[in-house]
Amino acid sequence: MSPSGEGLRNWIRPSCGKAHIFEDGETEYYSSAFSTSLGRLWVMLRCFVSRCLLTNPVAGQTRKMSGGSLAGSQSSLAGKVAIVTASTDGIGLAAAQALGQRGAHVVVSSRRQSNVDKAVALLQSEKIQVTGTTCNVGKSEDRERLVNMTVEHCGGIDILVSNAAVNPFFGNIMDSTAAVWDKILDVNVKAAFLMTQLVVPHMEKRGGGSVVFVSSVAGYQPMQALGPYSVSKTALLGLTRALAPELAQSHIRVNCVAPGVIKTRFSQALWQDEDIVDEFKKQLSIKRVGEPEEIGGVIAFLCSKDASYITGETITVTGGMSCRL
């Protein structure tokens, strides 16, 4: 049964007003008004699910795999240095854990020092080599400081996981403003490229490396309520394909991961309501919402020797969604 209008308002309403969520789990308040009714948003979500997903799902549950179960992988990243942006929560933190469990020294970052401190303490408790610093990837000085600090403290860079993203807008794409587009494209696309541009010379000095962009299933099948965000995630698919042949000459592989609905704060509007989850489950082959560590493991694989002949590719991790261009 679809949630009532009041229930849906409770589902989508930020606790103190209008806000946007970042991939590192932080929230900031945004001045642009949400420009579509919540009832319309529910209809858009249902249309997205029915249009995008499999129509003949396989029944039954799949046993959840924890991040720890992947730590015994034969592929080793010992001696490698990995920068993961927006990595104090959700998929970014899971990626840092997965890389660290395989021996990499991970450099985590967030826009707030308190979040960095918590992530560093957690990773250290798991015996992972970790360095942390604040970084807003939308600011050039922060990007440069992150890269320079990594080289100074760790001796070089082998891996970049570009996870930082923001979505300040829910509604009809025709109601989005220039400010919305500037924010989304600056953080989700432009910063991803500029971070890559900064790390490539350091990877070349190490004889090669690996770049992984975190896109979304919405990059394949845009969701109307998240039009600008979806477009930005589609752009990352193209950026992956554009960079891969050029950087292959420097032995740098470029790949992308497109998660489906994953249980993070960033995507909580899609999974925290039972009616929404039930609607998705009807269409999924694996009858549950994904966990961050299930994305982290795929990212670690793409950075490992096991993926040494893979570049220019996007791996969808969706529980069975059949979304492809």
Side-chain angles (χ1 to χ4, degrees):
M1 180 177 68
S2 300
S4 65
E6 183 60 33
L8 187 58
R9 280 190 285 274
N10 291 334
W11 160 64
I12 197 71
R13 182 192 295 129
S15 59
C16 300
K18 297 154 188 159
H20 59 246
I21 306 296
F22 291 78
E23 284 283 8
D24 56 10
E26 297 174 6
T27 305
E28 285 187 356
Y29 294 96
Y30 195 74
S31 60
S32 295
F34 286 6
S35 53
T36 189
S37 71
L38 294 170
R40 283 174 62 200
L41 176 57
W42 166 244
V43 172
M44 291 174 183
L45 289 173
R46 292 196 65 178
C47 290
F48 167 73
V49 173
S50 61
R51 190 171 65 243
C52 177
L53 306 183
L54 293 173
T55 57
N56 294 304
V58 178
Q61 297 278 349
T62 297
R63 178 176 169 269
K64 184 175 78 173
M65 181 182 295
S66 68
S69 68
L70 295 172
S73 173
Q74 292 182 349
S75 61
S76 173
L77 296 174
K80 303 296 184 182
V81 177
I83 293 176
V84 186
T85 64
S87 45
T88 60
D89 192 31
I91 289 172
L93 179 58
Q97 289 174 307
L99 293 166
Q101 288 164 356
R102 290 158 176 78
H105 186 131
V106 294
V107 179
V108 297
S109 63
S110 173
R111 291 171 302 114
R112 292 189 175 89
Q113 187 64 49
S114 59
N115 287 348
V116 173
D117 294 341
K118 290 177 184 177
V120 168
L122 173 64
L123 295 171
Q124 287 178 337
S125 73
E126 297 175 352
K127 309 303 180 184
I128 289 173
Q129 300 177 77
V130 58
T131 302
T133 186
T134 55
C135 179
N136 181 340
V137 297
K139 297 181 178 180
S140 60
E141 60 270 26
D142 279 21
R143 294 191 298 266
E144 292 172 3
R145 182 169 52 81
L146 173 60
V147 171
N148 291 337
M149 184 276 293
T150 301
V151 173
E152 291 172 7
H153 284 73
C154 305
I157 301 169
D158 303 284
I159 294 166
L160 169 65
V161 179
S162 182
N163 175 62
V166 63
N167 177 49
F169 179 81
F170 289 85
N172 191 313
I173 192 171
M174 291 301 294
D175 294 325
S176 58
T177 65
V180 165
W181 283 96
D182 287 345
K183 184 72 173 181
I184 288 177
L185 294 179
D186 278 353
V187 175
N188 297 9
V189 183
K190 184 177 175 181
F193 168 73
L194 293 175
M195 275 297 300
T196 304
Q197 197 173 49
L198 285 174
V199 302
V200 161
H202 300 288
M203 290 182 176
E204 290 175 333
K205 291 177 182 178
R206 308 268 278 194
S210 178
V211 176
V212 177
F213 298 119
V214 179
S215 179
S216 168
V217 68
Y220 284 101
Q221 181 59 61
M223 187 184 297
Q224 286 182 299
L226 302 173
Y229 172 83
S230 299
V231 170
S232 75
K233 291 302 185 176
T234 304
L236 290 179
L237 307 181
L239 183 60
T240 300
R241 297 296 297 271
L243 285 173
E246 289 193 20
L247 295 185
Q249 302 173 48
S250 298
H251 307 289
I252 297 170
R253 296 182 297 105
V254 184
N255 291 293
C256 189
V257 174
V261 181
I262 307 299
K263 198 170 186 178
T264 67
R265 284 188 61 195
F266 188 80
S267 63
Q268 63 185 358
L270 297 179
W271 57 260
Q272 67 180 5
D273 184 274
E274 290 184 4
D275 291 323
I276 300 289
V277 173
D278 288 343
E279 197 68 26
F280 273 100
K281 282 182 179 178
K282 292 176 184 177
Q283 307 296 333
L284 292 171
S285 296
I286 299 176
K287 301 294 188 177
R288 59 178 174 80
V289 174
E291 298 290 340
E293 56 264 33
E294 294 175 302
I295 309 301
V298 175
I299 291 171
F301 160 72
L302 286 172
C303 297
S304 73
K305 290 182 179 179
D306 288 343
S308 60
Y309 201 50
I310 300 175
T311 195
E313 292 295 332
T314 297
I315 297 180
T316 57
V317 190
T318 64
M321 294 185 186
S322 59
C323 292
R324 281 287 188 177
L325 289 176

